[in-house]
Amino acid sequence: MNRSIKIYNTVSKEKEEFKPIVEGRVGMYVCGPTVYSDVHLGNCRSFISFDIIYRYLKYVGFKVRYVRNITDVGHLEGDADSGAEDKISKKARLEQLEPMEVAQKYANGFHDMMRTFNVLPPSIEPRATGHIPEQVNMVKKILDNGYAYEADGSVYFDTLKFAKETGLYGKLSGRVLDDLVAESRDNLKKQDQKRHPSDFAIWIKADDSHIMKWDSPWSLGFPGWHLECSAMSTKYLGDRFDIHGGGADLTFPHHENEIAQNFGACKSTPANYWLHGNMLLMNGRKMAKSDGNTITPEQLFTGDSPHVSKGYSPMVVRFFMLQSHYRSTLDLSDTALQAAEKGYQRLMEAYKNLTKLDEAKAPTPTDVDTKVNQTLDQAFNEMDDDFNTPKALARLFEVVPVINSLANGTISASEITADTLKRLKVVLSDFIFHIFGLKDETSGNDNTQTAVLEDVLELVLEIRQNARTNKDWTTSDLIRDKLTAAGVLVKDGKDGASWSIKNN
RNA sequence: GGUCGCGUGGCCGAGUGGUUAGGCAGAGGUCUGCAAAACCUUGUACAGCGGUUCGAAUCCGCUCGCGACCUCCA
């Protein structure tokens, strides 16, 4: 590991050189999903962004402990008229299921979707319900340290005291306490129990209708809205760790409160670098079920939605997301996805062409060598600069014409050295599959079947070639047209025909 | 209302004080029996108005438009 990586830190609002607390190791915590409904496409973008960050840090040689939680308890339903209510519990009553059954169902769905998008599993995936003692303990510590107070069985974090003593509250999200006072809604639950409007609950006394509740020194209840992340990050990564990530919408209040809680319990802020992924928009607006401006991942794959003209495969969607920077909003649209699909196919096609290249005869480095090596170096430099996937991707595309030219003879094998060709193969493969986490969807999963298919197609193309030699255009065109209809693209080149499977 | 961010060519989307982003689409060419694919060449740009500067799409101000957060939310 001798690369210098720069990361944009939300706390400082600028790019900083990444220096891990322990040389060669990275502790990274990312806020995972709340499993009370199906994963939202925007969630997927966020987890894909951090997947690439995780992959890149590992790729450059760090030993990374990546913790991504599952929240299966705790969050309040803000607009519920029956008062404080746990999301999971509410859903459970509606569906007549055990709360944990609901959580498990959606957790499974979440995992399936992550696998579909080729997102690597984290090193540790702790669940909030599995860490109630840790959370109770944290509340105790915060109370002991004087940063919280109890009121009628619930415990509240004292933001005013924390802000006055440290000046830290609001720093991450750029807020000042006076604004928070002005902003606070007067219809917040249990408002009267709080000393200050911006104080927030870290333990909530449950009413009778509440299903998920645990014993604690203060009441039979459940942990506060943001406590699980503080408790679990501390347990698995320590009081201080390197990277904390999440969606931009978590900056306030979730992460702000996490910082407060961690400080309240451990007397130190938890993470050195706070990273925030930006929102996924659709047709220029935030996705929202209320106005129909939304699409599920499944609808995107199948094309069963008025927002798309056809289905797009998971890897096309992943590629689409790679084309923008994680800190920018990304606007999903049908035309943008079509463009991404073409681009994805072009990249994968070039990679396949590359794997077939084995001739490199230049004795000494040529202009082609220089161009290729510089471009590959640049691609890594782009990733070093706050994980700039769109720029790195652009560099990869600059090398595509070189590959295709070598494949079709426009550039001869004598114009590239074996060393460069080898490096090109390794680096391109690393980037596409290991760093960007793309998969080749065109090749079958079953190796035997794939091999059979390849042999059969070779035969068919040989027959067609014979027909062409005999100027039997009827037969040759028939073969080509039927194969096209079957989804196999025939590509005539100088050294005979080759084929590839078309998506859709 | 408060806080923050954005506005780039037909579309998506990077980026920077003076030098090519990239993808998709378009145009011309090479190759081909025809076509496709591939390759080569290529046009269109930085919301508007002021200011700073030798020079700004890039910095500053204002205007307009859009978005996010402030409430569970990636």
Side-chain angles (χ1 to χ4, degrees), chain A residues 68-124:
Chain A
R68 190 187 64 204
N69 66 291
I70 283 191
T71 293
D72 51 2
V73 66
H75 293 235
L76 284 170
E77 197 82 299
D79 54 358
D81 5 73
S82 55
E85 186 163 32
D86 189 297
K87 273 187 173 173
I88 307 272
S89 306
K90 187 182 184 188
K91 196 87 179 185
R93 281 206 308 282
L94 291 174
E95 298 189 1
Q96 298 293 305
L97 294 167
E98 272 298 315
M100 282 310 281
E101 203 175 350
V102 175
Q104 189 65 54
K105 176 187 163 190
Y106 291 116
N108 290 345
F110 168 70
H111 287 140
D112 288 345
M113 192 53 68
M114 289 301 101
R115 226 171 289 125
T116 300
F117 276 120
N118 205 25
V119 169
L120 295 175
S123 326
I124 301 176

Side-chain angles (χ1 to χ4, degrees), chain A residues 15 95 107 140 163 169 191 232 279 299 315 333 335 367 419 444 456 470 491:
Chain A
K15 284 182 200 169
E95 298 189 1
K140 276 186 199 159
Y169 197 69
Q191 191 67 12
M232 295 188 288
M279 301 293 104
Q299 287 176 316
M315 287 305 110
S333 68
T335 49
D367 288 350
D419 281 353
V456 170
N470 298 329
K491 296 179 290 190

